Amino acid sequence: MNNNRPEQDITPEGPVYAKRAGLFRNPAVRRELQQLDPERDYQRMVQLLVGYEFPFDTQRALELALFHTYANPRTSALLVHTGEFERHGQKRYDDTAILISWFMQYGLNTETGLRAITQMNRIHGHYRIRNDDFLIVLSTFIFYPINWINRYGWRKLTPAEERAFFLFFREVGQRMNLTDVPQSLPELRTFTDDYEAEHFRYDEVNRRLADATVRIVQGWLPGPLRFGVKPVFAALINDKLREAFGYERPPRWFSGLLEGALWLRKIPLRWITFKPYPTLVENTLHRSYRSGLPAVEELGPTKLLQKEPR
């Protein structure tokens, strides 16, 4: 593996904070967030939110966001046709997570961020994907972190922080050359509601992708614990998605137990964190790349990397 990113991008732009006594949150992170203007500083705000305040929550939210896109049979059929999720699920997951993390953690204007966006566009360029299908995926990267953090995070996001998430991914959409990108969160919500009403329904291809994703997560756990992965996913998604995947609603006691565990988790995390400061691609485990991270341009389906996009 060859990680040929430039030295100046080893840490995100702006101050780099350290934990207090190696365990306690540094309040300077939140003070900086409170001083920033989302209209101007949204990239730095996203860096602070995903790197210091909510790295675990953002990662879990984006995993569920991928689940959300499988509820449209048109999107699912394309993903099943590529075979990547069913044959190389862990690598597909890692490549997606690394690309997104690189431009969220380093910013869209750094060399790393620019290369990550370029590589993502290069991969997508091999497929015929409709503009509104791209927009629904983009919307999940906004709404899922906001909704998850506000429900399960150790604190809620401020309106300015929510605005920063929106503006950040709106710019991502612009750099993906998308058209008709909604210009506010309410407009985006209207778009997603209309899209889901028109396209979300049960199909066997949806179920195949959802089950493939469950198998990826099961692979992270010891055998005796794997049985719980599917019920956890089913408990964390809404009725609309459960219906699209053909999943049953878990028993009320199971959902209540999961909610309780996530609520209890908040209490110590108000003061302490076990994640690195900051949490970056370089200090996060990627199961497909245990021997070292690849270069940005090496991420993606192997069979596509030698081809020119359409």
Side-chain angles (χ1 to χ4, degrees), residues 36-46 49 103-104 108-109 117 138-139 141-143 146 159-175 181-185 188:
L36 296 174
D37 178 359
E39 305 301 321
R40 181 189 64 238
D41 304 316
Y42 53 87
Q43 292 195 45
R44 175 60 176 168
M45 292 178 73
V46 167
L49 291 168
F103 62 70
M104 290 183 76
L108 300 171
N109 298 322
I117 289 284
L138 193 73
S139 75
F141 290 165
I142 297 168
F143 285 124
I146 290 174
E161 289 165 346
E162 293 183 6
R163 177 73 175 163
F165 265 114
F166 170 77
L167 292 173
F168 182 92
F169 278 102
R170 187 182 71 176
E171 182 169 346
V172 171
Q174 292 166 348
R175 296 190 184 209
V181 179
Q183 296 301 298
S184 68
L185 279 170
L188 186 63

Side-chain angles (χ1 to χ4, degrees), residues 58-157:
T58 304
Q59 187 175 9
R60 300 289 82 79
L62 293 180
E63 288 165 1
L64 287 177
L66 289 176
F67 232 60
H68 192 98
T69 62
Y70 307 155
N72 177 6
R74 185 170 65 203
T75 302
S76 297
L78 173 62
L79 293 171
V80 166
H81 177 72
T82 69
E84 287 298 312
F85 258 106
E86 294 183 292
R87 292 197 298 266
H88 310 291
Q90 184 62 59
K91 183 179 184 301
R92 175 69 166 76
Y93 171 88
D94 285 334
D95 287 358
T96 301
I98 291 169
L99 279 175
I100 294 171
S101 296
W102 260 334
F103 62 70
M104 290 183 76
Q105 293 169 357
Y106 290 93
L108 300 171
N109 298 322
T110 62
E111 182 172 342
T112 298
L114 289 168
R115 287 167 61 191
I117 289 284
T118 299
Q119 182 67 0
M120 184 174 68
N121 288 340
R122 178 188 173 200
I123 294 167
H124 289 157
H126 289 281
Y127 306 105
R128 297 188 186 279
I129 304 174
R130 290 174 45 156
N131 189 76
D132 59 345
D133 293 344
F134 272 128
L135 286 177
I136 195 66
V137 176
L138 193 73
S139 75
T140 66
F141 290 165
I142 297 168
F143 285 124
Y144 269 79
I146 290 174
N147 294 342
W148 176 285
I149 291 169
N150 286 341
R151 185 167 186 174
Y152 301 122
W154 60 273
R155 67 172 178 84
K156 294 184 183 296
L157 294 172

